[in-house]
């Protein structure tokens, strides 16, 4: 029996893969205009990085990590041995922790330096239950700005993300931007205590998991999908009533910059995001017309404590990530699919097989001149070669025939204009363009 892909994983076939490259290129262009430069970090990191960075009590760390095990370590485990913590490796479930690790390891933000503005693109891995828009391997594009606390960083990040979505073609009326501030280590503890006390008072209505969450990290309960928990949490204390003056000012300035850019948003005091490292600004963009229950197309926020958490100097940070597959679903809902683009500009056909060496030479010459060219590599009649050229959406077909070639000529058909002309074999490149 043929071996097939495990569920939660997807192949990107050529049209999709081409679209993905364009998607990343658009991000590189737009984010580049805001000063973001690319960084590529490995897809595997030491497990401890995610445990410390993302937080032990998060769903991502407690349930969804794919922990990689080498053959050697597997044998050690099967033999009842112990694997040292630095040999425990995990496929990255998100991009921020790895980028922050690299920034610290290579000292990319020396004291007093301008902030490092970094962008990444690539696959992430989470062992979630697969469904539409929720994969076990998915592709994210993200940015991280390390070394600046100013609200202008948060605002320009949000504006840049919205600009990317609109340039992709997601209509602005089909998405909503939710924003909130989660406070800082000064004001959040009191808020967390207030939520914990509120949850204790409503314990009988909450699910077991939320009652457990109330002990470790009560704010996680805002993400619970259970309708009874939702109803309880809807009336829970609001962070906005607990922010300290600095956090309130920071948040107000972020919103003022976003307002000035003409971007609309909804303030959502229940937005806490799934990862523990956020402080102050958090935001999420949801697709409204999406046919999928998984409608968060991107999100992020500020993480002023994360760098210290992974062992670096205190360095403020801000970042976001957006998901390629969910953007595709949102684009499809907006009637924007991907189409096959032509991969061949000139197809070189031959009247008979004896002319294949000349055809081979001509396609090489065309490629050297930067023209996408191809020829028949199988057993095909001229008619079938022309069909193939059509299928490849070739703009021109050069037909090599023995008599013409003896005179140094070749017939070129313009497949769009439906015209035909004879040009010198040695000058096909210049004659066509
Ligand atoms: P998160 O780190 O969970 O905020 O993820 C950032 C973005 O990545 C989300 O807004 C989604 O677009 C995308 N994403 C997260 N998890 C998945 C998943 N399991 N499958 C597909 N896309 C995802």
């Amino acid at each position: 029996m043929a071996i097939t892909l495990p569920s939660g994983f997807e192949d990107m076939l050529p049209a999709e893969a081409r679209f993905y490259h364009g998607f990343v290129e658009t991000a590189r262009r737009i984010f580049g205009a805001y000063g973001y430069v690319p960084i590529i970090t490995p897809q595997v990191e030491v497990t401890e990085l995610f445990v410390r960075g993302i937080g032990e009590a998060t769903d991502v760390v407690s349930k969804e990590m794919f922990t990689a095990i080498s053959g050697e370590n597997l044998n050690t485990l099967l033999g009842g041995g112990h694997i040292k913590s630095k040999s425990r490796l995990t496929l990255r479930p998100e991009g921020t922790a790895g980028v922050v690790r690299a920034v610290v390891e290579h000292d990319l933000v020396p004291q007093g330096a301008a902030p490092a503005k970094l962008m990444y693109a690539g696959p992430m891995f989470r062992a979630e239950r697969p469904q539409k828009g929720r994969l076990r391997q998915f592709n994210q594009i993200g940015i991280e700005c390390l070394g600046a606390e100013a609200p202008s960083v948060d605002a320009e990040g949000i504006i840049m993300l919205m600009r990317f979505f609109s340039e992709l073609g997601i209509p602005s009326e089909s998405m909503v931007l939710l924003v909130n501030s989660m406070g800082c280590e000064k004001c959040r503890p009191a808020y967390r205590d207030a939520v914990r006390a509120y949850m204790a008072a409503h314990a009988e209505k909450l699910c077991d998991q939320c009652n457990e969450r109330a002990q470790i990290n009560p704010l996680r309960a805002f993400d619970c999908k259970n309708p009874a928990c939702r109803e309880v949490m809807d009336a829970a204390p609001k962070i906005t009533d607990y922010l300290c003056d600095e956090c309130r000012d920071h948040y107000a300035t972020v919103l003022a910059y976003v307002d000035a850019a003409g971007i609309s948003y909804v303030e959502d005091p229940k937005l806490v995001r799934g990862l523990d490292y956020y402080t102050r600004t958090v935001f999420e963009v949801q697709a409204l017309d999406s046919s999928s229950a998984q409608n968060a197309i991107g999100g992020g926020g500020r993480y002023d404590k994360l760098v210290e958490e992974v062992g670096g100097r205190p360095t403020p940070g801000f970042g976001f990530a957006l998901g390629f597959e969910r953007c595709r679903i949102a684009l499809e809902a907006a009637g924007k699919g991907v189409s096959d683009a032509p991969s061949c500009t000139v197809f070189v056909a031959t009247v008979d097989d004896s002319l294949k060496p000349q055809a081979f030479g001509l396609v090489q010459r065309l490629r050297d001149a930067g023209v996408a060219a191809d020829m028949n590599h199988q057993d095909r009649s001229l008619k079938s070669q022309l069909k193939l050229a059509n299928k490849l959406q070739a703009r021109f077909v050069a037909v090599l025939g023995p008599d013409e070639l003896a005179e140094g000529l070749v017939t070129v058909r313009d497949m769009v204009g439906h015209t035909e002309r004879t040009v010198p074999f040695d000058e096909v490149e210049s004659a066509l363009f």
Side-chain angles (χ1 to χ4, degrees):
M1 215 172 56
I3 296 173
T4 55
L5 258 181
S7 112
F9 293 81
E10 274 181 6
D11 293 311
M12 263 196 229
L13 299 181
E16 188 73 10
R18 196 199 302 254
F19 183 81
Y20 174 71
H21 282 300
F23 185 88
V24 174
E25 213 29 66
T26 304
R28 247 202 286 271
R29 177 171 51 74
I30 295 175
F31 301 173
Y34 287 76
Y36 283 86
V37 295
I39 184 166
I40 301 176
T41 62
Q43 291 170 25
V44 167
E45 298 275 354
V46 169
T47 307
E48 185 62 18
L49 174 70
F50 303 118
V51 175
R52 270 210 269 161
I54 301 174
E56 204 155 8
T58 58
D59 282 357
V60 169
V61 170
S62 62
K63 296 190 241 165
E64 297 166 3
M65 290 205 299
F66 275 111
T67 291
I69 207 155
S70 67
E72 195 187 345
N73 282 343
L74 182 61
N75 289 337
T76 308
L77 267 190
L78 292 175
H82 175 79
I83 303 175
K84 286 198 231 72
S85 74
K86 70 169 191 263
S87 317
R88 287 184 210 150
L89 305 177
T90 290
L91 292 178
R92 62 182 184 190
E94 53 92 67
T96 304
V99 170
V100 165
R101 193 247 336 119
V103 164
V104 171
E105 196 164 337
H106 303 285
D107 198 19
L108 296 187
V109 192
Q111 221 134 29
K117 289 179 141 185
L118 305 164
M119 69 165 285
Y120 60 85
M124 305 294 157
F125 305 83
R126 293 185 195 171
E128 297 188 80
R129 197 167 41 77
Q131 57 170 237
K132 186 166 184 191
R134 189 164 69 193
L135 294 157
R136 301 190 134 199
Q137 176 177 340
F138 53 98
N139 290 280
Q140 280 188 344
I141 298 182
I143 61 107
E144 314 295 345
C145 175
L146 285 135
E149 206 176 359
S152 48
V153 167
D154 312 33
E156 73 172 17
I158 293 173
I159 294 164
M160 177 170 96
L161 178 63
M162 297 314 283
R163 182 155 156 222
F164 173 74
F165 285 145
S166 87
E167 214 161 299
L168 271 187
I170 305 177
S172 56
E173 62 279 9
S174 310
M175 29 180 195
V176 60
L177 164 65
L178 304 175
V179 283
N180 189 23
S181 171
M182 292 188 63
C184 64
E185 83 275 20
K186 269 201 288 173
C187 53
R188 195 158 24 164
Y191 174 62
R192 201 184 280 133
D193 289 347
V195 175
R196 186 176 284 130
Y198 171 83
M199 288 174 74
H202 295 82
E204 77 290 352
K205 290 200 197 131
L206 296 170
C207 70
D208 291 348
Q209 208 187 356
C210 280
N211 278 315
E212 228 171 84
R213 283 169 171 147
Q215 304 311 313
I216 320 164
N217 190 348
L219 305 193
R220 286 276 79 76
F222 284 111
D223 287 336
C224 186
K225 301 279 179 277
N226 183 324
C229 297
R230 278 191 159 190
E231 203 185 315
V232 172
M233 295 313 289
D234 273 347
K238 307 267 181 286
I239 178 79
T240 22
D241 296 329
Y242 287 79
L243 294 179
C244 61
D245 289 348
E246 288 89 340
C247 285
R248 187 170 296 119
D249 282 354
H250 192 277
Y251 184 47
T253 313
V254 173
L255 296 185
Y257 278 126
V258 175
D259 280 330
I263 287 175
S264 44
Y265 55 84
V266 173
E267 288 184 73
D268 179 0
K270 291 196 309 272
L271 180 71
V272 291
R273 312 257 316 132
L275 316 177
D276 273 356
Y277 51 58
Y278 290 112
T279 47
R280 295 190 165 170
T281 315
V282 283
F283 65 100
E284 188 163 287
V285 185
Q286 294 179 352
L288 299 173
D289 297 341
S290 173
S291 54
S292 154
Q294 301 299 324
N295 63 349
I297 52 177
R302 178 159 282 286
Y303 49 82
D304 291 341
K305 295 284 138 199
L306 179 61
V307 179
E308 279 162 84
E309 204 61 59
V310 304
R313 261 194 308 275
T315 309
F318 170 88
F320 66 67
L322 61 103
F324 168 73
E325 290 78 5
R326 295 210 191 145
C327 288
R328 283 282 294 112
I329 295 173
L331 283 168
E332 245 157 49
K336 298 182 173 103
V338 299
S339 54
D340 264 329
S343 56
C344 173
T345 307
V346 181
F347 188 86
V348 179
T350 53
V351 169
D352 65 63
D353 277 356
S354 69
L355 300 174
K356 272 193 170 169
Q358 285 88 336
F360 192 82
L362 179 55
V363 287
Q364 296 306 331
R365 261 176 42 209
L366 286 161
R367 290 164 182 167
D368 286 348
V371 178
D374 218 335
M375 64 181 279
N376 165 37
H377 293 286
Q378 296 152 307
D379 231 359
R380 282 177 189 267
S381 65
L382 180 59
K383 192 168 162 206
S384 142
Q385 291 178 58
L386 296 178
K387 265 197 192 156
L388 174 60
N390 246 327
K391 190 162 169 252
L392 296 175
Q393 301 177 48
R395 170 78 211 273
F396 299 103
V397 181
V399 184
L400 305 191
D403 300 340
E404 274 176 320
L405 214 51
E407 293 174 41
L409 295 171
V410 53
T411 301
V412 177
R413 284 188 199 176
D414 181 332
M415 305 294 275
V416 176
H418 302 290
T419 53
E420 203 169 89
R421 61 197 161 124
T422 307
V423 300
F425 179 77
D426 292 336
E427 292 166 22
V428 178
E429 309 84 312
S430 46
L432 290 183
F433 303 100

mmCIF file of all heavy atoms in Angstrom, residues 205-233:
data_model
loop_
_atom_site.group_PDB
_atom_site.id
_atom_site.type_symbol
_atom_site.label_atom_id
_atom_site.label_comp_id
_atom_site.label_asym_id
_atom_site.label_seq_id
_atom_site.Cartn_x
_atom_site.Cartn_y
_atom_site.Cartn_z
ATOM 1 N N LYS A 205 -19.112 26.461 38.482
ATOM 2 C CA LYS A 205 -19.567 26.597 37.085
ATOM 3 C C LYS A 205 -18.424 26.346 36.090
ATOM 4 O O LYS A 205 -18.663 26.226 34.892
ATOM 5 C CB LYS A 205 -20.094 28.022 36.865
ATOM 6 C CG LYS A 205 -21.400 28.291 37.578
ATOM 7 C CD LYS A 205 -22.077 29.491 36.942
ATOM 8 C CE LYS A 205 -23.138 30.053 37.846
ATOM 9 N NZ LYS A 205 -23.055 31.490 38.041
ATOM 10 N N LEU A 206 -17.199 26.333 36.570
ATOM 11 C CA LEU A 206 -16.051 26.213 35.660
ATOM 12 C C LEU A 206 -15.673 24.751 35.438
ATOM 13 O O LEU A 206 -15.905 23.908 36.310
ATOM 14 C CB LEU A 206 -14.847 26.956 36.254
ATOM 15 C CG LEU A 206 -14.999 28.476 36.406
ATOM 16 C CD1 LEU A 206 -13.847 29.060 37.223
ATOM 17 C CD2 LEU A 206 -15.054 29.147 35.032
ATOM 18 N N CYS A 207 -15.090 24.484 34.268
ATOM 19 C CA CYS A 207 -14.655 23.107 33.991
ATOM 20 C C CYS A 207 -13.438 22.769 34.869
ATOM 21 O O CYS A 207 -12.800 23.663 35.432
ATOM 22 C CB CYS A 207 -14.318 22.949 32.509
ATOM 23 S SG CYS A 207 -12.834 23.804 31.974
ATOM 24 N N ASP A 208 -13.131 21.456 34.953
ATOM 25 C CA ASP A 208 -12.025 21.019 35.813
ATOM 26 C C ASP A 208 -10.721 21.690 35.413
ATOM 27 O O ASP A 208 -9.924 22.100 36.251
ATOM 28 C CB ASP A 208 -11.837 19.494 35.713
ATOM 29 C CG ASP A 208 -13.017 18.776 36.351
ATOM 30 O OD1 ASP A 208 -13.812 19.459 37.047
ATOM 31 O OD2 ASP A 208 -13.148 17.552 36.131
ATOM 32 N N GLN A 209 -10.556 21.805 34.071
ATOM 33 C CA GLN A 209 -9.288 22.368 33.600
ATOM 34 C C GLN A 209 -9.149 23.834 34.036
ATOM 35 O O GLN A 209 -8.071 24.263 34.444
ATOM 36 C CB GLN A 209 -9.208 22.258 32.078
ATOM 37 C CG GLN A 209 -7.777 22.160 31.608
ATOM 38 C CD GLN A 209 -7.676 22.227 30.103
ATOM 39 O OE1 GLN A 209 -8.673 22.266 29.382
ATOM 40 N NE2 GLN A 209 -6.457 22.237 29.609
ATOM 41 N N CYS A 210 -10.245 24.580 33.968
ATOM 42 C CA CYS A 210 -10.175 25.989 34.387
ATOM 43 C C CYS A 210 -9.932 26.094 35.880
ATOM 44 O O CYS A 210 -9.204 26.985 36.336
ATOM 45 C CB CYS A 210 -11.427 26.749 33.973
ATOM 46 S SG CYS A 210 -11.352 27.208 32.228
ATOM 47 N N ASN A 211 -10.528 25.182 36.652
ATOM 48 C CA ASN A 211 -10.265 25.216 38.086
ATOM 49 C C ASN A 211 -8.788 24.930 38.380
ATOM 50 O O ASN A 211 -8.203 25.501 39.294
ATOM 51 C CB ASN A 211 -11.179 24.249 38.833
ATOM 52 C CG ASN A 211 -12.544 24.886 39.061
ATOM 53 O OD1 ASN A 211 -12.627 26.056 39.465
ATOM 54 N ND2 ASN A 211 -13.616 24.155 38.783
ATOM 55 N N GLU A 212 -8.220 24.072 37.546
ATOM 56 C CA GLU A 212 -6.787 23.804 37.664
ATOM 57 C C GLU A 212 -5.985 25.039 37.246
ATOM 58 O O GLU A 212 -5.042 25.450 37.903
ATOM 59 C CB GLU A 212 -6.439 22.661 36.719
ATOM 60 C CG GLU A 212 -5.598 21.561 37.313
ATOM 61 C CD GLU A 212 -5.553 20.426 36.319
ATOM 62 O OE1 GLU A 212 -4.712 20.495 35.406
ATOM 63 O OE2 GLU A 212 -6.393 19.497 36.432
ATOM 64 N N ARG A 213 -6.446 25.645 36.119
ATOM 65 C CA ARG A 213 -5.768 26.849 35.622
ATOM 66 C C ARG A 213 -5.782 27.953 36.677
ATOM 67 O O ARG A 213 -4.843 28.736 36.788
ATOM 68 C CB ARG A 213 -6.479 27.380 34.371
ATOM 69 C CG ARG A 213 -6.167 26.597 33.110
ATOM 70 C CD ARG A 213 -7.103 27.032 32.007
ATOM 71 N NE ARG A 213 -6.711 26.468 30.724
ATOM 72 C CZ ARG A 213 -7.588 26.128 29.788
ATOM 73 N NH1 ARG A 213 -8.880 26.297 29.968
ATOM 74 N NH2 ARG A 213 -7.170 25.633 28.654
ATOM 75 N N ALA A 214 -6.878 28.033 37.422
ATOM 76 C CA ALA A 214 -7.014 29.090 38.424
ATOM 77 C C ALA A 214 -5.826 29.066 39.381
ATOM 78 O O ALA A 214 -5.381 30.109 39.855
ATOM 79 C CB ALA A 214 -8.321 28.933 39.190
ATOM 80 N N GLN A 215 -5.292 27.883 39.628
ATOM 81 C CA GLN A 215 -4.147 27.775 40.535
ATOM 82 C C GLN A 215 -2.857 28.264 39.862
ATOM 83 O O GLN A 215 -2.140 29.080 40.423
ATOM 84 C CB GLN A 215 -3.930 26.302 40.979
ATOM 85 C CG GLN A 215 -5.146 25.662 41.621
ATOM 86 C CD GLN A 215 -5.748 26.559 42.707
ATOM 87 O OE1 GLN A 215 -5.031 27.084 43.546
ATOM 88 N NE2 GLN A 215 -7.063 26.756 42.665
ATOM 89 N N ILE A 216 -2.597 27.742 38.654
ATOM 90 C CA ILE A 216 -1.294 28.013 38.021
ATOM 91 C C ILE A 216 -1.287 29.350 37.277
ATOM 92 O O ILE A 216 -0.456 30.199 37.511
ATOM 93 C CB ILE A 216 -0.915 26.895 37.016
ATOM 94 C CG1 ILE A 216 -1.305 25.524 37.579
ATOM 95 C CG2 ILE A 216 0.571 26.942 36.667
ATOM 96 C CD1 ILE A 216 -1.334 24.430 36.556
ATOM 97 N N ASN A 217 -2.211 29.494 36.345
ATOM 98 C CA ASN A 217 -2.250 30.729 35.554
ATOM 99 C C ASN A 217 -3.697 31.042 35.194
ATOM 100 O O ASN A 217 -4.183 30.663 34.129
ATOM 101 C CB ASN A 217 -1.389 30.553 34.289
ATOM 102 C CG ASN A 217 -1.208 31.874 33.568
ATOM 103 O OD1 ASN A 217 -1.903 32.850 33.883
ATOM 104 N ND2 ASN A 217 -0.299 31.925 32.623
ATOM 105 N N PRO A 218 -4.389 31.754 36.077
ATOM 106 C CA PRO A 218 -5.831 31.957 35.893
ATOM 107 C C PRO A 218 -6.196 32.639 34.569
ATOM 108 O O PRO A 218 -7.269 32.383 34.023
ATOM 109 C CB PRO A 218 -6.230 32.834 37.091
ATOM 110 C CG PRO A 218 -4.971 33.318 37.705
ATOM 111 C CD PRO A 218 -3.882 32.374 37.322
ATOM 112 N N LEU A 219 -5.286 33.462 34.007
ATOM 113 C CA LEU A 219 -5.640 34.199 32.785
ATOM 114 C C LEU A 219 -5.881 33.268 31.599
ATOM 115 O O LEU A 219 -6.574 33.630 30.642
ATOM 116 C CB LEU A 219 -4.559 35.226 32.430
ATOM 117 C CG LEU A 219 -4.196 36.239 33.518
ATOM 118 C CD1 LEU A 219 -3.373 37.368 32.943
ATOM 119 C CD2 LEU A 219 -5.435 36.810 34.198
ATOM 120 N N ARG A 220 -5.301 32.054 31.659
ATOM 121 C CA ARG A 220 -5.524 31.065 30.598
ATOM 122 C C ARG A 220 -7.007 30.734 30.443
ATOM 123 O O ARG A 220 -7.456 30.339 29.368
ATOM 124 C CB ARG A 220 -4.789 29.750 30.893
ATOM 125 C CG ARG A 220 -3.304 29.720 30.711
ATOM 126 C CD ARG A 220 -2.946 29.465 29.252
ATOM 127 N NE ARG A 220 -3.087 30.690 28.485
ATOM 128 C CZ ARG A 220 -2.222 31.682 28.515
ATOM 129 N NH1 ARG A 220 -1.129 31.591 29.214
ATOM 130 N NH2 ARG A 220 -2.420 32.776 27.810
ATOM 131 N N ALA A 221 -7.776 30.891 31.536
ATOM 132 C CA ALA A 221 -9.198 30.536 31.491
ATOM 133 C C ALA A 221 -9.966 31.403 30.489
ATOM 134 O O ALA A 221 -11.025 31.001 30.002
ATOM 135 C CB ALA A 221 -9.813 30.662 32.883
ATOM 136 N N PHE A 222 -9.414 32.577 30.131
ATOM 137 C CA PHE A 222 -10.087 33.424 29.135
ATOM 138 C C PHE A 222 -10.104 32.747 27.764
ATOM 139 O O PHE A 222 -10.880 33.116 26.889
ATOM 140 C CB PHE A 222 -9.395 34.781 29.019
ATOM 141 C CG PHE A 222 -9.694 35.704 30.168
ATOM 142 C CD1 PHE A 222 -8.709 36.045 31.086
ATOM 143 C CD2 PHE A 222 -10.973 36.228 30.336
ATOM 144 C CE1 PHE A 222 -8.984 36.903 32.137
ATOM 145 C CE2 PHE A 222 -11.259 37.088 31.389
ATOM 146 C CZ PHE A 222 -10.274 37.424 32.300
ATOM 147 N N ASP A 223 -9.202 31.796 27.546
ATOM 148 C CA ASP A 223 -9.133 31.115 26.252
ATOM 149 C C ASP A 223 -9.999 29.860 26.205
ATOM 150 O O ASP A 223 -10.082 29.201 25.165
ATOM 151 C CB ASP A 223 -7.687 30.689 25.947
ATOM 152 C CG ASP A 223 -6.812 31.877 25.591
ATOM 153 O OD1 ASP A 223 -7.369 32.893 25.145
ATOM 154 O OD2 ASP A 223 -5.578 31.782 25.770
ATOM 155 N N CYS A 224 -10.647 29.484 27.316
ATOM 156 C CA CYS A 224 -11.415 28.231 27.347
ATOM 157 C C CYS A 224 -12.620 28.330 26.418
ATOM 158 O O CYS A 224 -13.297 29.352 26.351
ATOM 159 C CB CYS A 224 -11.874 27.922 28.777
ATOM 160 S SG CYS A 224 -12.659 26.295 28.874
ATOM 161 N N LYS A 225 -12.851 27.241 25.669
ATOM 162 C CA LYS A 225 -13.938 27.256 24.675
ATOM 163 C C LYS A 225 -15.257 26.767 25.282
ATOM 164 O O LYS A 225 -16.309 26.859 24.649
ATOM 165 C CB LYS A 225 -13.577 26.368 23.470
ATOM 166 C CG LYS A 225 -12.296 26.774 22.755
ATOM 167 C CD LYS A 225 -12.545 27.938 21.793
ATOM 168 C CE LYS A 225 -11.284 28.402 21.074
ATOM 169 N NZ LYS A 225 -10.454 29.332 21.843
ATOM 170 N N ASN A 226 -15.214 26.230 26.496
ATOM 171 C CA ASN A 226 -16.407 25.710 27.155
ATOM 172 C C ASN A 226 -17.423 26.852 27.379
ATOM 173 O O ASN A 226 -17.092 27.864 27.992
ATOM 174 C CB ASN A 226 -15.934 25.108 28.497
ATOM 175 C CG ASN A 226 -17.059 24.466 29.265
ATOM 176 O OD1 ASN A 226 -18.187 24.940 29.243
ATOM 177 N ND2 ASN A 226 -16.740 23.392 29.951
ATOM 178 N N PRO A 227 -18.682 26.711 26.868
ATOM 179 C CA PRO A 227 -19.637 27.832 26.950
ATOM 180 C C PRO A 227 -19.872 28.309 28.387
ATOM 181 O O PRO A 227 -19.982 29.517 28.628
ATOM 182 C CB PRO A 227 -20.925 27.258 26.343
ATOM 183 C CG PRO A 227 -20.507 26.056 25.563
ATOM 184 C CD PRO A 227 -19.227 25.552 26.154
ATOM 185 N N ALA A 228 -19.926 27.372 29.353
ATOM 186 C CA ALA A 228 -20.181 27.782 30.744
ATOM 187 C C ALA A 228 -19.003 28.618 31.255
ATOM 188 O O ALA A 228 -19.196 29.655 31.902
ATOM 189 C CB ALA A 228 -20.374 26.549 31.616
ATOM 190 N N CYS A 229 -17.775 28.182 30.933
ATOM 191 C CA CYS A 229 -16.588 28.933 31.364
ATOM 192 C C CYS A 229 -16.569 30.309 30.707
ATOM 193 O O CYS A 229 -16.251 31.311 31.331
ATOM 194 C CB CYS A 229 -15.308 28.188 31.008
ATOM 195 S SG CYS A 229 -15.165 26.600 31.853
ATOM 196 N N ARG A 230 -16.969 30.333 29.432
ATOM 197 C CA ARG A 230 -16.978 31.609 28.710
ATOM 198 C C ARG A 230 -17.901 32.605 29.385
ATOM 199 O O ARG A 230 -17.563 33.780 29.546
ATOM 200 C CB ARG A 230 -17.465 31.399 27.276
ATOM 201 C CG ARG A 230 -16.375 30.917 26.392
ATOM 202 C CD ARG A 230 -16.810 30.969 24.969
ATOM 203 N NE ARG A 230 -15.636 30.984 24.132
ATOM 204 C CZ ARG A 230 -15.645 31.222 22.850
ATOM 205 N NH1 ARG A 230 -16.765 31.487 22.237
ATOM 206 N NH2 ARG A 230 -14.540 31.199 22.156
ATOM 207 N N GLU A 231 -19.089 32.086 29.767
ATOM 208 C CA GLU A 231 -20.070 32.968 30.397
ATOM 209 C C GLU A 231 -19.506 33.539 31.704
ATOM 210 O O GLU A 231 -19.611 34.739 31.963
ATOM 211 C CB GLU A 231 -21.358 32.173 30.659
ATOM 212 C CG GLU A 231 -22.562 33.076 30.782
ATOM 213 C CD GLU A 231 -23.799 32.292 31.163
ATOM 214 O OE1 GLU A 231 -24.029 31.220 30.559
ATOM 215 O OE2 GLU A 231 -24.517 32.761 32.062
ATOM 216 N N VAL A 232 -18.885 32.654 32.492
ATOM 217 C CA VAL A 232 -18.293 33.119 33.755
ATOM 218 C C VAL A 232 -17.187 34.140 33.472
ATOM 219 O O VAL A 232 -17.152 35.228 34.070
ATOM 220 C CB VAL A 232 -17.722 31.920 34.556
ATOM 221 C CG1 VAL A 232 -16.937 32.405 35.772
ATOM 222 C CG2 VAL A 232 -18.839 30.978 34.986
ATOM 223 N N MET A 233 -16.310 33.806 32.510
ATOM 224 C CA MET A 233 -15.140 34.659 32.284
ATOM 225 C C MET A 233 -15.526 35.994 31.636
ATOM 226 O O MET A 233 -14.803 36.978 31.779
ATOM 227 C CB MET A 233 -14.087 33.918 31.447
ATOM 228 C CG MET A 233 -13.477 32.700 32.134
ATOM 229 S SD MET A 233 -12.947 32.968 33.846
ATOM 230 C CE MET A 233 -11.515 34.024 33.649
#
